[in-house]
Each structure stands twice: as C-alpha cells, then as structure tokens.
Amino acid sequence: MLVESIAFALVGLATGALALLGLPAYFRAPRPLTVGTALASALLGGTVAHFCLDGRYPVGSVVASALASGVLTSLLARPDLAAGLAPAHRHRPGAHRAQRRHRAA
C-alpha cells in the first residue's frame, strides 16, 4: 500500500501541475489550493479504489486515483473568468424588464 500511496501522490501532483500549466487562465484560485485539491483527491480516490478492489488491481487503483483527481480539480476551473473568454449576453438590453400597464381602479 505504501508504493501505491506514493503513486497516488505523484498522480495528484502531476494533475495539479498540468492543470496550472495547461490552462492557467482557468484556474484563478491560489496555486496551493489547486495542487492541494489534486493531491488530496488523488490520495482519497486511490485509497477508496484500493479497498473496493481489495488490493488485487493496483493499476486500477492508480487509474481511479487519476480520474478522481482530474474530476475534483476541474471543479476549481472558472472558464467564465478567463481573459477574453467571457460569454456574450444573448438577450436584448432591457428585455428582462417586463413592461406592465396597470389599470386604473
């Protein structure tokens, strides 16, 4: 289990580093938060997979570790805040305000 834990940690660190280096504009959170999330999710996902697979398939545990790390790290991504990638508004200005006319009582 010690060797697998080291593999889980390396997978988590690699996932965090790839996220920060590959898409730096998407990850506006502090760098230690992104890498820490990747590391913790890789360790947790790998440990759960190890016990679910009863320790028989260490490669499967490492793959599950990578999947858990990638999915949970992607929750920190903010593409809407990336420079130049903000979505355009699809509605007309003022269209959300309903023009209501009241009847005189």
Side-chain angles (χ1 to χ4, degrees):
M1 180 70 186
L2 179 65
V3 173
E4 286 181 356
S5 297
I6 293 171
F8 301 155
L10 290 175
V11 165
L13 291 173
T15 303
L18 286 175
L20 290 174
L21 294 174
L23 299 168
Y26 281 26
F27 292 95
R28 296 289 177 110
R31 295 188 191 287
L33 177 67
T34 304
V35 174
T37 300
L39 178 62
S41 60
L43 288 171
L44 182 66
T47 303
V48 168
H50 173 79
F51 286 112
C52 287
L53 297 174
D54 203 22
R56 294 181 186 162
Y57 304 104
V59 174
S61 298
V62 173
V63 169
S65 167
L67 288 174
S69 180
V71 168
L72 291 178
T73 304
S74 72
L75 293 177
L76 296 175
R78 294 292 307 266
D80 57 331
L81 297 179
L85 299 177
H89 291 290
R90 295 184 185 151
H91 66 278
R92 296 180 317 231
H96 63 279
R97 296 183 198 133
Q99 300 281 336
R100 296 185 184 175
R101 296 181 187 210
H102 298 287
R103 293 185 199 173

Coordinates of all heavy atoms in Angstrom, one line a residue:
M1 N 0.8 -1.2 0.0 CA 0.0 0.0 0.0 C 0.9 1.3 0.0 O 0.4 2.3 -0.5 CB -0.9 0.0 1.2 CG -1.8 1.1 1.4 SD -3.1 1.1 0.1 CE -3.9 2.7 0.4
L2 N 2.1 1.2 0.5 CA 3.0 2.3 0.6 C 3.4 2.8 -0.8 O 3.4 4.0 -1.2 CB 4.2 2.0 1.4 CG 5.2 3.2 1.5 CD1 4.6 4.4 2.2 CD2 6.5 2.7 2.2
V3 N 3.7 1.8 -1.7 CA 4.1 2.1 -3.0 C 2.9 2.7 -3.8 O 3.1 3.7 -4.6 CB 4.6 0.9 -3.8 CG1 4.9 1.1 -5.2 CG2 5.9 0.3 -3.1
E4 N 1.7 2.2 -3.6 CA 0.5 2.7 -4.2 C 0.3 4.1 -3.7 O -0.1 5.0 -4.5 CB -0.7 1.8 -4.0 CG -0.7 0.6 -4.8 CD -1.9 -0.3 -4.5 OE1 -2.7 0.1 -3.7 OE2 -2.0 -1.3 -5.1
S5 N 0.5 4.4 -2.5 CA 0.2 5.7 -1.9 C 1.2 6.7 -2.6 O 0.8 7.9 -2.9 CB 0.4 5.7 -0.4 OG -0.6 4.9 0.2
I6 N 2.4 6.3 -2.8 CA 3.4 7.2 -3.4 C 2.9 7.5 -4.9 O 3.0 8.6 -5.4 CB 4.8 6.6 -3.4 CG1 5.3 6.6 -1.9 CG2 5.8 7.4 -4.2 CD1 6.5 5.9 -1.7
A7 N 2.4 6.4 -5.5 CA 1.9 6.6 -6.9 C 0.7 7.5 -6.9 O 0.6 8.4 -7.8 CB 1.6 5.2 -7.5
F8 N -0.2 7.4 -6.0 CA -1.3 8.3 -5.9 C -0.9 9.7 -5.7 O -1.4 10.6 -6.3 CB -2.2 7.9 -4.7 CG -2.8 6.5 -4.8 CD1 -3.2 5.9 -3.6 CD2 -2.9 5.8 -6.0 CE1 -3.7 4.6 -3.7 CE2 -3.4 4.5 -6.0 CZ -3.8 3.9 -4.9
A9 N 0.1 9.9 -4.8 CA 0.6 11.3 -4.6 C 1.2 11.9 -5.9 O 1.0 13.0 -6.2 CB 1.6 11.3 -3.4
L10 N 2.0 11.1 -6.6 CA 2.6 11.5 -7.8 C 1.6 11.9 -8.9 O 1.7 12.9 -9.6 CB 3.6 10.5 -8.3 CG 4.9 10.3 -7.5 CD1 5.7 9.2 -8.1 CD2 5.7 11.6 -7.4
V11 N 0.5 11.0 -8.9 CA -0.6 11.3 -9.9 C -1.2 12.6 -9.5 O -1.6 13.4 -10.4 CB -1.6 10.1 -9.9 CG1 -2.9 10.5 -10.6 CG2 -0.9 8.9 -10.6
G12 N -1.5 12.9 -8.3 CA -2.1 14.1 -7.8 C -1.3 15.3 -8.1 O -1.8 16.3 -8.6
L13 N 0.0 15.2 -7.8 CA 0.9 16.4 -8.1 C 1.0 16.6 -9.6 O 1.0 17.8 -10.0 CB 2.3 16.1 -7.5 CG 2.3 16.1 -6.0 CD1 3.7 15.7 -5.5 CD2 2.0 17.5 -5.4
A14 N 1.0 15.6 -10.4 CA 1.1 15.8 -11.8 C -0.2 16.4 -12.4 O -0.2 17.2 -13.2 CB 1.3 14.4 -12.5
T15 N -1.4 15.9 -11.8 CA -2.6 16.5 -12.3 C -2.7 18.0 -11.9 O -3.1 18.8 -12.7 CB -3.8 15.8 -11.6 OG1 -3.7 14.4 -11.9 CG2 -5.1 16.3 -12.1
G16 N -2.3 18.4 -10.7 CA -2.3 19.8 -10.3 C -1.4 20.6 -11.2 O -1.7 21.7 -11.6
A17 N -0.2 20.1 -11.4 CA 0.8 20.8 -12.2 C 0.3 21.0 -13.7 O 0.4 22.0 -14.3 CB 2.1 20.1 -12.2
L18 N -0.3 19.9 -14.2 CA -0.8 20.0 -15.6 C -2.0 21.0 -15.7 O -2.1 21.7 -16.7 CB -1.2 18.6 -16.1 CG -0.1 17.7 -16.4 CD1 -0.6 16.3 -16.8 CD2 0.7 18.2 -17.6
A19 N -2.8 21.0 -14.7 CA -3.9 22.0 -14.7 C -3.4 23.4 -14.7 O -3.9 24.2 -15.4 CB -4.8 21.7 -13.5
L20 N -2.4 23.7 -13.9 CA -1.9 25.0 -13.8 C -1.1 25.4 -15.0 O -1.1 26.6 -15.4 CB -1.1 25.2 -12.5 CG -1.9 25.1 -11.2 CD1 -0.9 25.1 -10.0 CD2 -2.8 26.3 -11.1
L21 N -0.3 24.5 -15.5 CA 0.5 24.8 -16.7 C -0.3 24.8 -18.0 O 0.0 25.6 -18.9 CB 1.7 23.9 -16.8 CG 2.7 24.0 -15.6 CD1 3.7 22.9 -15.8 CD2 3.3 25.3 -15.6
G22 N -1.3 23.9 -18.1 CA -2.0 23.7 -19.3 C -3.1 24.8 -19.5 O -3.3 25.3 -20.6
L23 N -3.8 25.2 -18.5 CA -4.9 26.1 -18.5 C -4.7 27.2 -17.4 O -5.6 27.2 -16.5 CB -6.2 25.4 -18.4 CG -6.5 24.4 -19.5 CD1 -7.7 23.6 -19.2 CD2 -6.8 25.1 -20.8
P24 N -3.7 28.0 -17.4 CA -3.5 28.9 -16.3 C -4.6 29.9 -16.1 O -4.9 30.4 -15.0 CB -2.2 29.6 -16.6 CG -2.0 29.4 -18.0 CD -2.7 28.2 -18.4
A25 N -5.3 30.3 -17.2 CA -6.3 31.3 -17.1 C -7.6 30.8 -16.5 O -8.4 31.5 -15.9 CB -6.7 31.9 -18.5
Y26 N -7.8 29.5 -16.5 CA -9.0 28.9 -16.0 C -8.9 28.7 -14.5 O -9.9 28.6 -13.8 CB -9.2 27.5 -16.6 CG -9.9 27.5 -18.0 CD1 -9.7 28.6 -18.8 CD2 -10.6 26.5 -18.4 CE1 -10.3 28.7 -20.1 CE2 -11.2 26.5 -19.7 CZ -11.0 27.6 -20.5 OH -11.6 27.6 -21.7
F27 N -7.7 28.6 -13.9 CA -7.6 28.3 -12.5 C -7.1 29.6 -11.8 O -5.9 29.9 -11.7 CB -6.6 27.2 -12.3 CG -7.1 25.9 -12.8 CD1 -6.8 25.4 -14.0 CD2 -7.9 25.1 -11.9 CE1 -7.3 24.2 -14.5 CE2 -8.4 23.9 -12.4 CZ -8.2 23.5 -13.6
R28 N -8.1 30.4 -11.4 CA -7.8 31.7 -10.7 C -7.6 31.5 -9.2 O -7.2 32.4 -8.5 CB -8.9 32.7 -11.0 CG -9.1 33.1 -12.4 CD -7.9 33.9 -12.8 NE -8.0 34.3 -14.2 CZ -8.2 35.5 -14.6 NH1 -8.4 36.5 -13.8 NH2 -8.2 35.8 -15.9
A29 N -7.9 30.3 -8.7 CA -7.7 30.0 -7.3 C -6.2 30.0 -7.0 O -5.4 29.9 -7.9 CB -8.3 28.7 -6.9
P30 N -5.8 30.2 -5.7 CA -4.4 30.2 -5.4 C -3.8 28.8 -5.8 O -4.4 27.8 -5.7 CB -4.4 30.4 -3.9 CG -5.7 31.0 -3.6 CD -6.7 30.6 -4.6
R31 N -2.6 28.9 -6.3 CA -1.9 27.7 -6.7 C -1.8 26.6 -5.7 O -2.1 25.4 -6.0 CB -0.5 28.0 -7.2 CG -0.6 28.9 -8.5 CD 0.8 29.1 -9.1 NE 0.9 30.1 -10.1 CZ 0.4 30.0 -11.3 NH1 -0.2 29.0 -11.6 NH2 0.4 31.1 -12.1
P32 N -1.6 26.8 -4.4 CA -1.6 25.7 -3.4 C -2.9 25.1 -3.3 O -3.0 23.9 -3.0 CB -1.1 26.4 -2.1 CG -0.4 27.6 -2.6 CD -1.0 28.1 -3.8
L33 N -4.0 25.8 -3.5 CA -5.3 25.2 -3.4 C -5.6 24.3 -4.5 O -6.1 23.2 -4.3 CB -6.4 26.3 -3.4 CG -7.8 25.8 -3.4 CD1 -8.1 25.2 -2.1 CD2 -8.8 27.0 -3.6
T34 N -5.1 24.6 -5.7 CA -5.3 23.8 -6.9 C -4.5 22.5 -6.8 O -5.0 21.4 -7.0 CB -5.0 24.5 -8.2 OG1 -5.7 25.7 -8.3 CG2 -5.2 23.7 -9.4
V35 N -3.2 22.6 -6.4 CA -2.4 21.5 -6.3 C -2.8 20.6 -5.1 O -2.8 19.4 -5.1 CB -0.9 21.9 -6.2 CG1 0.0 20.7 -5.9 CG2 -0.5 22.6 -7.4
G36 N -3.2 21.3 -4.0 CA -3.7 20.5 -2.8 C -4.9 19.8 -3.1 O -5.1 18.6 -2.6
T37 N -5.8 20.4 -3.8 CA -7.1 19.7 -4.2 C -6.8 18.4 -5.1 O -7.3 17.4 -4.8 CB -8.0 20.6 -4.9 OG1 -8.3 21.7 -4.1 CG2 -9.3 19.9 -5.4
A38 N -5.9 18.6 -6.0 CA -5.5 17.5 -6.9 C -4.8 16.4 -6.1 O -5.1 15.2 -6.2 CB -4.6 18.0 -8.0
L39 N -3.9 16.8 -5.2 CA -3.2 15.8 -4.3 C -4.2 15.0 -3.4 O -4.2 13.8 -3.3 CB -2.1 16.5 -3.5 CG -1.3 15.6 -2.6 CD1 -0.6 14.5 -3.4 CD2 -0.3 16.5 -1.8
A40 N -5.0 15.8 -2.7 CA -5.9 15.1 -1.7 C -7.0 14.2 -2.4 O -7.3 13.1 -2.0 CB -6.6 16.2 -0.9
S41 N -7.5 14.7 -3.6 CA -8.5 13.9 -4.3 C -7.8 12.6 -4.9 O -8.4 11.6 -4.9 CB -9.2 14.7 -5.3 OG -8.2 15.2 -6.3
A42 N -6.6 12.7 -5.3 CA -5.9 11.5 -5.8 C -5.6 10.5 -4.7 O -5.8 9.3 -4.9 CB -4.6 11.9 -6.5
L43 N -5.2 11.0 -3.5 CA -5.0 10.1 -2.4 C -6.3 9.5 -1.9 O -6.4 8.2 -1.7 CB -4.3 10.8 -1.3 CG -2.9 11.2 -1.5 CD1 -2.4 12.1 -0.3 CD2 -2.0 10.0 -1.5
L44 N -7.3 10.3 -1.8 CA -8.6 9.7 -1.4 C -9.2 8.8 -2.4 O -9.7 7.7 -2.1 CB -9.6 10.9 -1.1 CG -11.0 10.5 -0.6 CD1 -10.8 9.8 0.8 CD2 -11.9 11.6 -0.5
G45 N -9.2 9.2 -3.7 CA -9.8 8.3 -4.7 C -9.0 7.0 -4.9 O -9.6 5.9 -5.1
G46 N -7.7 7.1 -4.8 CA -6.9 5.9 -4.9 C -7.1 4.9 -3.7 O -7.1 3.7 -3.9
T47 N -7.2 5.5 -2.5 CA -7.4 4.7 -1.3 C -8.8 4.0 -1.4 O -8.9 2.8 -1.0 CB -7.3 5.5 0.0 OG1 -6.0 6.2 -0.1 CG2 -7.4 4.7 1.2
V48 N -9.8 4.7 -1.8 CA -11.1 4.1 -1.9 C -11.1 3.0 -2.9 O -11.7 1.9 -2.7 CB -12.2 5.2 -2.2 CG1 -13.5 4.6 -2.6 CG2 -12.4 6.1 -1.0
A49 N -10.5 3.3 -4.0 CA -10.4 2.2 -5.1 C -9.6 1.0 -4.6 O -10.0 -0.1 -5.0 CB -9.8 2.8 -6.4
H50 N -8.5 1.3 -3.9 CA -7.7 0.1 -3.4 C -8.6 -0.8 -2.5 O -8.5 -2.0 -2.7 CB -6.5 0.7 -2.6 CG -5.7 -0.4 -1.9 ND1 -4.8 -1.2 -2.6 CD2 -5.7 -0.8 -0.6 CE1 -4.3 -2.1 -1.7 NE2 -4.8 -1.8 -0.5
F51 N -9.4 -0.2 -1.6 CA -10.2 -1.0 -0.8 C -11.4 -1.6 -1.5 O -11.8 -2.7 -1.1 CB -10.6 -0.3 0.5 CG -9.5 -0.1 1.4 CD1 -9.0 1.2 1.7 CD2 -8.9 -1.1 2.1 CE1 -7.9 1.4 2.5 CE2 -7.9 -1.0 3.0 CZ -7.3 0.3 3.2
C52 N -11.9 -0.9 -2.5 CA -13.0 -1.5 -3.2 C -12.6 -2.7 -4.1 O -13.3 -3.6 -4.3 CB -13.7 -0.4 -4.1 SG -14.6 0.7 -3.2
L53 N -11.4 -2.6 -4.6 CA -10.8 -3.6 -5.5 C -10.1 -4.7 -4.7 O -9.5 -5.6 -5.2 CB -9.9 -3.0 -6.5 CG -10.5 -2.1 -7.5 CD1 -9.5 -1.4 -8.4 CD2 -11.6 -2.8 -8.4
D54 N -10.1 -4.5 -3.4 CA -9.5 -5.5 -2.4 C -8.0 -5.6 -2.6 O -7.4 -6.6 -2.3 CB -10.2 -6.8 -2.6 CG -10.0 -7.7 -1.3 OD1 -9.8 -7.1 -0.2 OD2 -10.1 -8.9 -1.4
G55 N -7.3 -4.6 -3.2 CA -5.9 -4.6 -3.4 C -5.4 -5.5 -4.4 O -4.2 -5.7 -4.6
R56 N -6.3 -6.1 -5.3 CA -5.9 -7.0 -6.3 C -5.4 -6.4 -7.6 O -4.7 -7.0 -8.3 CB -7.0 -8.0 -6.6 CG -7.4 -8.9 -5.4 CD -8.5 -9.8 -5.8 NE -8.9 -10.5 -4.6 CZ -10.0 -11.2 -4.5 NH1 -10.9 -11.1 -5.5 NH2 -10.4 -11.8 -3.4
Y57 N -5.9 -5.2 -7.8 CA -5.6 -4.5 -9.1 C -5.0 -3.1 -8.8 O -5.7 -2.1 -8.8 CB -6.9 -4.3 -9.9 CG -7.6 -5.7 -10.2 CD1 -8.7 -6.0 -9.5 CD2 -7.1 -6.6 -11.1 CE1 -9.4 -7.2 -9.7 CE2 -7.7 -7.8 -11.4 CZ -8.8 -8.1 -10.6 OH -9.5 -9.3 -10.9
P58 N -3.7 -3.1 -8.6 CA -3.1 -1.8 -8.3 C -3.1 -0.8 -9.4 O -3.2 0.4 -9.2 CB -1.6 -2.1 -7.9 CG -1.4 -3.5 -8.5 CD -2.7 -4.2 -8.5
V59 N -3.1 -1.3 -10.7 CA -3.2 -0.4 -11.8 C -4.6 0.3 -11.9 O -4.7 1.5 -12.1 CB -2.9 -1.1 -13.1 CG1 -3.1 -0.2 -14.3 CG2 -1.5 -1.6 -13.1
G60 N -5.6 -0.5 -11.5 CA -7.0 0.0 -11.5 C -7.1 1.1 -10.4 O -7.8 2.1 -10.6
S61 N -6.4 0.9 -9.3 CA -6.4 1.9 -8.2 C -5.7 3.2 -8.7 O -6.2 4.3 -8.3 CB -5.7 1.4 -7.0 OG -6.4 0.3 -6.5
V62 N -4.7 3.1 -9.4 CA -4.0 4.3 -9.9 C -4.8 5.0 -10.9 O -4.9 6.3 -10.9 CB -2.6 3.9 -10.4 CG1 -1.9 5.1 -11.1 CG2 -1.7 3.4 -9.3
V63 N -5.5 4.3 -11.8 CA -6.4 4.9 -12.8 C -7.5 5.6 -12.1 O -7.9 6.7 -12.4 CB -6.9 3.8 -13.8 CG1 -8.0 4.4 -14.6 CG2 -5.7 3.3 -14.6
A64 N -8.1 5.0 -11.1 CA -9.2 5.6 -10.3 C -8.7 6.9 -9.6 O -9.4 7.9 -9.5 CB -9.8 4.6 -9.3
S65 N -7.5 6.8 -9.1 CA -6.8 8.0 -8.5 C -6.7 9.1 -9.5 O -7.0 10.3 -9.1 CB -5.5 7.6 -8.0 OG -4.7 8.7 -7.6
A66 N -6.3 8.8 -10.7 CA -6.2 9.9 -11.7 C -7.5 10.5 -12.1 O -7.7 11.7 -12.3 CB -5.5 9.3 -12.9
L67 N -8.5 9.6 -12.2 CA -9.9 10.1 -12.5 C -10.4 11.0 -11.5 O -11.0 12.0 -11.7 CB -10.8 8.9 -12.8 CG -10.6 8.1 -14.1 CD1 -11.5 6.9 -14.1 CD2 -10.8 9.0 -15.3
A68 N -10.3 10.5 -10.2 CA -10.8 11.3 -9.1 C -10.1 12.7 -9.0 O -10.7 13.7 -8.8 CB -10.6 10.6 -7.8
S69 N -8.8 12.7 -9.2 CA -8.0 13.9 -9.2 C -8.4 14.8 -10.3 O -8.6 16.0 -10.1 CB -6.5 13.6 -9.3 OG -5.8 14.7 -9.2
G70 N -8.6 14.3 -11.5 CA -9.0 15.2 -12.6 C -10.4 15.8 -12.4 O -10.6 17.0 -12.7
V71 N -11.3 15.0 -12.0 CA -12.7 15.4 -11.8 C -12.8 16.5 -10.7 O -13.4 17.5 -10.9 CB -13.6 14.2 -11.6 CG1 -15.0 14.7 -11.1 CG2 -13.8 13.4 -12.8
L72 N -12.2 16.2 -9.6 CA -12.3 17.2 -8.5 C -11.5 18.4 -8.7 O -11.9 19.5 -8.2 CB -12.0 16.5 -7.2 CG -13.0 15.4 -6.7 CD1 -12.5 14.8 -5.4 CD2 -14.3 16.0 -6.5
T73 N -10.4 18.3 -9.4 CA -9.6 19.5 -9.7 C -10.4 20.4 -10.7 O -10.3 21.6 -10.7 CB -8.2 19.2 -10.2 OG1 -7.6 18.3 -9.3 CG2 -7.4 20.4 -10.5
S74 N -11.1 19.8 -11.6 CA -11.8 20.5 -12.6 C -13.0 21.4 -12.0 O -13.5 22.3 -12.6 CB -12.4 19.6 -13.7 OG -13.5 18.9 -13.2
L75 N -13.4 21.0 -10.8 CA -14.4 21.9 -10.1 C -13.9 23.3 -9.8 O -14.7 24.2 -9.6 CB -14.8 21.2 -8.8 CG -15.6 19.9 -9.0 CD1 -15.9 19.3 -7.7 CD2 -16.9 20.1 -9.8
L76 N -12.6 23.4 -9.7 CA -12.0 24.7 -9.4 C -11.8 25.6 -10.7 O -11.6 26.8 -10.6 CB -10.6 24.6 -8.8 CG -10.6 23.9 -7.4 CD1 -9.1 23.7 -7.0 CD2 -11.3 24.7 -6.4
A77 N -12.0 25.0 -11.9 CA -11.8 25.8 -13.1 C -12.9 26.8 -13.3 O -14.1 26.5 -13.0 CB -11.8 24.8 -14.3
R78 N -12.6 28.0 -13.7 CA -13.5 29.1 -13.9 C -13.3 29.7 -15.3 O -12.7 30.7 -15.5 CB -13.3 30.2 -12.9 CG -13.6 29.8 -11.4 CD -15.1 29.6 -11.2 NE -15.9 30.7 -11.7 CZ -16.4 31.7 -10.9 NH1 -16.0 31.7 -9.7 NH2 -17.1 32.6 -11.4
P79 N -13.8 29.0 -16.3 CA -13.6 29.5 -17.7 C -14.3 30.8 -17.9 O -14.0 31.6 -18.8 CB -14.2 28.4 -18.6 CG -15.1 27.6 -17.7 CD -14.5 27.7 -16.3
D80 N -15.4 31.1 -17.1 CA -16.1 32.4 -17.3 C -15.2 33.6 -16.9 O -15.4 34.7 -17.3 CB -17.4 32.4 -16.5 CG -17.2 32.2 -15.1 OD1 -16.2 31.5 -14.7 OD2 -18.0 32.6 -14.3
L81 N -14.2 33.4 -16.1 CA -13.3 34.5 -15.7 C -12.0 34.5 -16.5 O -11.2 35.4 -16.2 CB -12.9 34.3 -14.2 CG -14.1 34.4 -13.2 CD1 -13.6 34.2 -11.8 CD2 -14.8 35.7 -13.3
A82 N -11.8 33.6 -17.4 CA -10.6 33.6 -18.2 C -10.6 34.9 -19.1 O -11.6 35.4 -19.5 CB -10.6 32.4 -19.1
A83 N -9.4 35.4 -19.3 CA -9.3 36.6 -20.1 C -9.7 36.4 -21.5 O -9.3 35.5 -22.2 CB -7.8 37.0 -20.1
G84 N -10.7 37.2 -21.9 CA -11.2 37.2 -23.3 C -12.1 36.1 -23.6 O -12.5 36.0 -24.8
L85 N -12.5 35.3 -22.7 CA -13.4 34.2 -22.9 C -14.8 34.4 -22.2 O -15.5 33.4 -22.1 CB -12.8 32.9 -22.5 CG -11.5 32.5 -23.2 CD1 -10.9 31.2 -22.6 CD2 -11.7 32.3 -24.6
A86 N -15.1 35.6 -21.8 CA -16.4 35.8 -21.2 C -17.5 35.6 -22.1 O -17.4 36.1 -23.3 CB -16.4 37.2 -20.6
P87 N -18.6 35.0 -21.7 CA -19.7 34.8 -22.6 C -20.4 36.0 -22.9 O -20.5 36.9 -22.1 CB -20.6 33.8 -21.8 CG -20.2 34.0 -20.4 CD -18.8 34.4 -20.4
A88 N -20.9 36.2 -24.1 CA -21.7 37.3 -24.6 C -23.1 37.2 -24.1 O -23.6 36.1 -24.0 CB -21.6 37.5 -26.1
H89 N -23.7 38.3 -23.8 CA -25.2 38.2 -23.4 C -26.0 37.9 -24.6 O -25.8 38.4 -25.7 CB -25.6 39.6 -22.8 CG -24.9 39.9 -21.5 ND1 -25.2 39.2 -20.4 CD2 -23.9 40.7 -21.2 CE1 -24.5 39.6 -19.4 NE2 -23.7 40.5 -19.9
R90 N -27.0 37.1 -24.4 CA -27.8 36.7 -25.5 C -29.2 37.4 -25.6 O -30.0 37.1 -26.5 CB -28.1 35.2 -25.4 CG -26.8 34.4 -25.6 CD -27.2 32.9 -25.5 NE -25.9 32.1 -25.5 CZ -25.8 31.0 -25.0 NH1 -26.8 30.4 -24.4 NH2 -24.6 30.4 -25.1
H91 N -29.4 38.2 -24.6 CA -30.7 38.9 -24.6 C -30.5 40.4 -25.0 O -29.4 40.9 -24.9 CB -31.4 38.8 -23.3 CG -30.6 39.4 -22.2 ND1 -29.5 38.9 -21.5 CD2 -30.8 40.7 -21.6 CE1 -29.1 39.7 -20.6 NE2 -29.8 40.8 -20.6
R92 N -31.6 41.0 -25.4 CA -31.6 42.4 -25.7 C -31.5 43.2 -24.4 O -32.1 42.8 -23.4 CB -32.9 42.8 -26.4 CG -33.0 42.1 -27.7 CD -34.3 42.6 -28.3 NE -35.4 42.6 -27.3 CZ -36.5 42.1 -27.5 NH1 -36.9 41.5 -28.6 NH2 -37.4 42.1 -26.5
P93 N -30.8 44.3 -24.4 CA -30.8 45.1 -23.2 C -32.2 45.6 -22.8 O -33.0 46.1 -23.6 CB -29.9 46.3 -23.5 CG -29.2 45.9 -24.7 CD -30.0 44.8 -25.4
G94 N -32.6 45.4 -21.6 CA -33.9 45.8 -21.1 C -35.0 44.8 -21.4 O -36.1 45.0 -21.0
A95 N -34.7 43.7 -22.0 CA -35.7 42.7 -22.3 C -36.2 41.9 -21.1 O -37.3 41.4 -21.0 CB -35.2 41.7 -23.3
H96 N -35.4 41.9 -20.0 CA -35.8 41.2 -18.8 C -36.8 42.0 -18.0 O -37.4 41.5 -17.1 CB -34.6 40.8 -18.0 CG -33.8 42.0 -17.5 ND1 -32.9 42.6 -18.3 CD2 -33.8 42.6 -16.3 CE1 -32.3 43.6 -17.6 NE2 -32.8 43.6 -16.4
R97 N -36.9 43.3 -18.3 CA -37.8 44.1 -17.5 C -39.2 44.0 -18.3 O -39.3 44.5 -19.4 CB -37.3 45.5 -17.5 CG -36.1 45.7 -16.7 CD -35.7 47.1 -16.6 NE -34.3 47.2 -16.3 CZ -33.4 48.0 -16.9 NH1 -33.8 48.8 -17.8 NH2 -32.2 48.0 -16.5
A98 N -40.1 43.5 -17.6 CA -41.5 43.4 -18.2 C -42.2 44.8 -18.1 O -42.2 45.4 -17.1 CB -42.3 42.3 -17.5
Q99 N -42.7 45.2 -19.2 CA -43.5 46.4 -19.3 C -44.9 46.1 -18.9 O -45.6 45.5 -19.7 CB -43.4 47.0 -20.7 CG -42.0 47.3 -21.2 CD -41.5 48.6 -20.6 OE1 -42.3 49.5 -20.2 NE2 -40.2 48.7 -20.6
R100 N -45.3 46.5 -17.7 CA -46.7 46.2 -17.3 C -47.5 47.5 -17.2 O -47.0 48.5 -16.8 CB -46.6 45.5 -15.9 CG -46.0 44.2 -15.9 CD -46.1 43.6 -14.6 NE -45.4 42.3 -14.6 CZ -45.2 41.6 -13.5 NH1 -45.7 41.9 -12.4 NH2 -44.6 40.4 -13.6
R101 N -48.7 47.4 -17.6 CA -49.6 48.5 -17.5 C -50.6 48.2 -16.5 O -51.3 47.2 -16.6 CB -50.2 48.8 -18.9 CG -49.2 49.2 -19.9 CD -49.9 49.6 -21.2 NE -48.8 49.8 -22.1 CZ -49.0 50.6 -23.2 NH1 -50.1 51.3 -23.3 NH2 -48.0 50.8 -24.0
H102 N -50.8 49.1 -15.6 CA -51.8 48.9 -14.5 C -53.1 49.6 -14.9 O -53.1 50.7 -15.5 CB -51.3 49.5 -13.2 CG -50.0 48.8 -12.7 ND1 -50.1 47.5 -12.2 CD2 -48.7 49.1 -12.7 CE1 -48.8 47.1 -11.9 NE2 -48.0 48.1 -12.2
R103 N -54.2 48.9 -14.6 CA -55.5 49.5 -14.8 C -55.8 50.5 -13.7 O -55.5 50.2 -12.6 CB -56.5 48.5 -14.9 CG -56.4 47.6 -16.1 CD -57.6 46.6 -16.1 NE -57.3 45.5 -16.9 CZ -58.1 44.5 -17.0 NH1 -59.2 44.4 -16.3 NH2 -57.8 43.5 -17.8
A104 N -56.5 51.5 -14.1 CA -56.9 52.4 -13.0 C -58.1 51.8 -12.3 O -59.0 51.3 -12.9 CB -57.3 53.8 -13.7
A105 N -58.1 51.9 -11.0 CA -59.2 51.3 -10.2 C -60.4 52.2 -10.1 O -60.5 53.3 -10.2 CB -58.7 50.9 -8.9

